[in-house]
Amino acid sequence: MRLAVVGATGMVGQSFLKVLEEYVQKGKLRIDEFYLFASARSAGRKLPWLGGEYEVEELTAQSFDRGIDVALFSAGGAASLQYAPIAASKGCVVIDNSSAWRMDGKVPLIVPEVNPEDVQWNKGIIANPNCSTAQAVVALWPLHKRYGIKRVVYSTYQAVSGAGMGGWNDLVEGLNGRSPRKFPHPIAGNCLPHIDVFMEDGYTKEEHKMINETRKIMHQPDLPITATAVRIPVFTGHSESINAELNSPFELEELTQLLANSPGIILQNDFTNNEYPMPLYADGRDEVFVGRIRRDYSVPDGVNLWVVADNLRKGAATNAVQIACLLNTTV
Ligand code: A2P
């Protein structure tokens, strides 16, 4: 496969490089040619990859004129809107990590553990979901298939790396007493119930993304969902409290085993030994960690889950590379 990374110098771009390296080393993906793109600011910079060095090129309309099969984009919405259609018109399949294309009816939005079949109707652009949504649906999907889901309440505790280098730097600088540049308030020693911009209805765009993207990935356009998304002073790893009301009765032990045996999930659910998922230990991992599984007594068939994953990996790079592997058989 001839593969390009667009936004290679960014937070997610760097994770793309790491995850791709691991997938190649493990024989899960074969890359014959490898290209790196970013803005003009980074042109000429050399980045290490698989024992070699690759020069970053400025992304232009001509970047895809050389028969690139797959491009992983994480360079912001504006670059995706401008360049993904150009890449697609040259026969490249774009896996786009921005929110620009996710809700477009002609663009599949994929989490491989949930809807891998949607890759088949792509027309050159495939959307990678919002980080918080990706990890949530990995946990919700097995419950939906077995019991049906009636309603979901999301409350998130999200790491600063979800806001790119700027978010990361705000926490580093803030810990040294300096003022924030990316966030509207200090993040060190604080938490901000504000991720992405505010919408007219008082929700944030992040909360809208979680609601709409969950419905699209799970093919449940009317599923009742609400969300509150909060930024916390953690570098990497998003945590989520997920409250789900199911359509049918369940045995807690059976539900727990179902999650334990589902793809992409690692169960950490032994409260007697203080075992539960935490962002510090999810850092660098590709799986979604699930624990604190308990019955919600306030409704007939409710369950609470605590779900943690590395937002730069399963929330972004790993999910995109998994999609590239789904494509591998066709390119
Ligand atoms: P650069 O480093 O040259 O600015 P992050 O979200 O961590 O800040 O990373 C954003 C990534 O997207 C970086 O690699 C950045 O490159 C890249 N990028 C931003 N705007 C563009 C653009 N217009 N064209 C290509 N790459 C871009």
Side-chain angles (χ1 to χ4, degrees), residues 28-150:
K28 293 187 194 171
L29 191 66
R30 194 180 132 181
I31 298 179
D32 305 299
E33 291 174 28
F34 192 52
Y35 302 99
L36 303 179
F37 299 105
S39 77
R41 288 182 292 275
S42 305
R45 235 181 101 182
K46 292 200 173 66
L47 297 178
W49 191 74
L50 261 188
E53 267 197 337
Y54 289 79
E55 188 167 321
V56 178
E57 298 175 50
E58 179 187 357
L59 181 68
T60 68
Q62 285 72 48
S63 296
F64 302 94
D65 288 351
R66 56 189 106 174
I68 294 172
D69 299 308
V70 174
L72 309 181
F73 271 57
S74 191
S80 291
L81 280 174
Q82 187 178 350
Y83 292 103
I86 297 174
S89 75
K90 305 268 165 76
C92 174
V93 180
V94 171
I95 302 171
D96 181 38
N97 194 53
S98 81
S99 62
W101 299 97
R102 289 182 193 147
M103 296 315 296
D104 187 313
K106 295 187 205 66
V107 173
L109 175 65
I110 295 178
V111 172
E113 289 85 348
V114 180
N115 60 335
E117 69 285 357
D118 284 339
V119 82
Q120 285 155 16
W121 56 269
N122 87 79
K123 295 178 177 58
I125 304 177
I126 297 173
N128 206 38
N130 164 268
C131 40
S132 319
T133 311
Q135 67 186 71
V137 295
V138 168
L140 284 176
W141 184 241
L143 303 185
H144 179 69
K145 277 195 300 182
R146 171 72 180 80
Y147 307 104
I149 292 180
K150 197 179 196 174

Side-chain angles (χ1 to χ4, degrees), residues 38-289:
S39 77
R41 288 182 292 275
S42 305
R45 235 181 101 182
K46 292 200 173 66
L47 297 178
W49 191 74
L50 261 188
E53 267 197 337
Y54 289 79
E55 188 167 321
V56 178
E57 298 175 50
E58 179 187 357
L59 181 68
T60 68
Q62 285 72 48
S63 296
F64 302 94
D65 288 351
R66 56 189 106 174
I68 294 172
D69 299 308
V70 174
L72 309 181
F73 271 57
S74 191
S80 291
L81 280 174
Q82 187 178 350
Y83 292 103
I86 297 174
S89 75
K90 305 268 165 76
C92 174
V93 180
V94 171
I95 302 171
D96 181 38
N97 194 53
S98 81
S99 62
W101 299 97
R102 289 182 193 147
M103 296 315 296
D104 187 313
K106 295 187 205 66
V107 173
L109 175 65
I110 295 178
V111 172
E113 289 85 348
V114 180
N115 60 335
E117 69 285 357
D118 284 339
V119 82
Q120 285 155 16
W121 56 269
N122 87 79
K123 295 178 177 58
I125 304 177
I126 297 173
N128 206 38
N130 164 268
C131 40
S132 319
T133 311
Q135 67 186 71
V137 295
V138 168
L140 284 176
W141 184 241
L143 303 185
H144 179 69
K145 277 195 300 182
R146 171 72 180 80
Y147 307 104
I149 292 180
K150 197 179 196 174
R151 176 175 182 255
V152 176
V153 181
Y154 287 136
S155 308
T156 73
Y157 305 74
Q158 299 183 217
V160 293
S161 56
M165 292 286 186
W168 185 286
N169 290 339
D170 264 17
L171 180 52
V172 172
E173 297 293 316
L175 289 170
N176 291 309
R178 285 187 276 278
S179 303
R181 296 172 70 176
K182 171 85 181 175
F183 300 126
H185 301 284
I187 186 64
N190 205 4
C191 74
L192 313 182
H194 175 183
I195 300 186
D196 209 329
V197 295
F198 278 101
M199 313 297 285
E200 271 184 5
D201 62 2
Y203 278 70
T204 59
K205 196 169 170 196
E206 182 82 354
E207 292 157 353
H208 275 202
K209 285 184 220 165
M210 289 194 77
I211 294 167
N212 296 330
E213 293 179 25
T214 298
R215 291 173 174 160
K216 180 168 175 177
I217 296 163
M218 293 187 21
H219 297 177
Q220 298 296 310
D222 302 317
L223 184 63
I225 310 175
T226 190
T228 302
V230 179
R231 186 79 67 196
I232 60 164
V234 156
F235 283 106
T236 303
H238 287 353
S239 306
E240 298 173 348
S241 158
I242 303 181
N243 174 261
E245 219 180 317
L246 306 179
N247 277 327
S248 50
F250 64 92
E251 292 298 330
L252 196 60
E253 184 51 34
E254 191 209 348
L255 181 150
T256 303
Q257 282 316 310
L258 173 70
L259 288 170
N261 295 325
S262 294
I265 291 179
I266 292 187
L267 197 73
Q268 290 181 330
N269 193 46
D270 182 5
F271 65 86
T272 57
N273 287 308
N274 295 339
E275 186 200 64
Y276 33 74
M278 285 175 277
L280 194 60
Y281 305 120
D283 192 353
R285 300 289 299 266
D286 289 323
E287 304 89 346
V288 173
F289 297 86

